[in-house]
Amino acid sequence: MSRIAPGTLRDNRLFGWLFPRVAGLVAGTQPPAVFSVLGRNRPLFKAWLHFSGRLMARGNLRRRDTELVILRVAHHSSSAYEWAHHVHLASRLGFTAEHFDAVREGPDNPLWDARQRVLLLAVDHLTEHGDLDDDLWAAVREHLDEPTVIEFLFLVGHYQMLATVLTTLRIEPDPPATGLTRALHRLIAR
């Protein structure tokens, strides 16, 4: 049970109430609880949406790399919400059960190419040590230019932070859409 209940229309105002419903419709889930709960702090919620949207959907990293990084952070953080939410998103990008098992296994899995292996290794070091040694930094820089490596570092740190918030607030993974919401999602997904 979430320690802070999802906000109502009155709590979150129109934007904070409507956004999770649209996001759930697009994603094919019930309104994502993360948005309904964080929407209770309206100014922070709007700023966070802008920041996280820039990192995820509108960032420099390839979308598949972004999801790979987020999933590895979720794995390290033991964040059930973050894992389930991004398994759903990554599945829409072609990730399979084999990919998800490989994310859990880490950079040594033969499924990964050199770039993905380096990104996973860097996530592992950042989540464990909060830093990259010079050799790993050089390996990352072979694959990422300066703006993208800065984004990568923020992406890892942001999802570690978010995992802490989700875990501490006890936000449970979102159930799949049902009824009319499910039917509307199918129409949108076509």
Side-chain angles (χ1 to χ4, degrees):
M1 186 75 163
S2 181
R3 287 180 164 166
I4 297 178
T8 64
L9 176 59
R10 181 179 176 157
D11 298 324
N12 293 4
R13 305 256 171 94
L14 183 60
F15 176 78
W17 180 85
L18 190 58
F19 184 85
R21 280 147 185 81
V22 171
L25 187 61
V26 171
T29 64
Q30 298 293 326
V34 63
F35 300 137
S36 297
V37 172
L38 298 183
R40 295 180 73 98
N41 181 327
R42 289 184 298 275
L44 184 60
F45 176 63
K46 287 181 179 180
W48 172 74
L49 276 180
H50 180 73
F51 178 71
S52 63
R54 180 69 185 137
L55 286 175
M56 211 178 99
R58 296 183 314 270
N60 294 329
L61 275 174
R62 301 172 193 157
R63 281 290 296 129
R64 287 180 60 88
D65 288 346
T66 298
E67 289 303 328
L68 178 65
V69 167
I70 294 168
L71 285 166
R72 189 66 177 166
V73 171
H75 169 72
H76 278 292
S77 303
S78 300
S79 174
Y81 187 98
E82 205 166 78
W83 179 264
H85 187 76
H86 286 278
V87 160
H88 182 74
L89 294 175
S91 294
R92 295 172 76 181
L93 296 172
F95 279 62
T96 64
E98 183 182 17
H99 288 98
F100 300 126
D101 289 342
V103 169
R104 287 185 190 97
E105 186 178 323
D108 293 331
N109 188 291
L111 184 66
W112 307 124
D113 64 25
R115 175 188 172 98
Q116 294 164 325
R117 201 169 283 114
V118 166
L119 292 178
L120 288 168
L121 191 57
V123 170
D124 291 355
H125 280 259
L126 288 167
T127 57
E128 186 174 338
H129 305 290
D131 192 9
L132 300 176
D133 62 34
D134 291 339
D135 291 337
L136 187 50
W137 174 258
V140 170
R141 290 290 290 146
E142 287 179 26
H143 298 279
L144 304 179
D145 62 16
E146 286 180 353
T148 308
V149 77
I150 292 169
E151 178 183 309
F152 168 77
L153 295 171
F154 269 108
L155 183 68
V156 173
H158 171 260
Y159 277 91
Q160 284 182 289
M161 173 197 70
L162 184 58
T164 300
V165 171
L166 294 167
T167 299
T168 303
L169 292 178
R170 309 291 192 267
I171 298 176
E172 295 292 322
D174 302 313
T178 59
L180 181 60
T181 303
R182 186 175 184 176
L184 288 172
H185 170 70
R186 287 183 180 154
L187 287 173
I188 290 171
R190 288 184 182 170

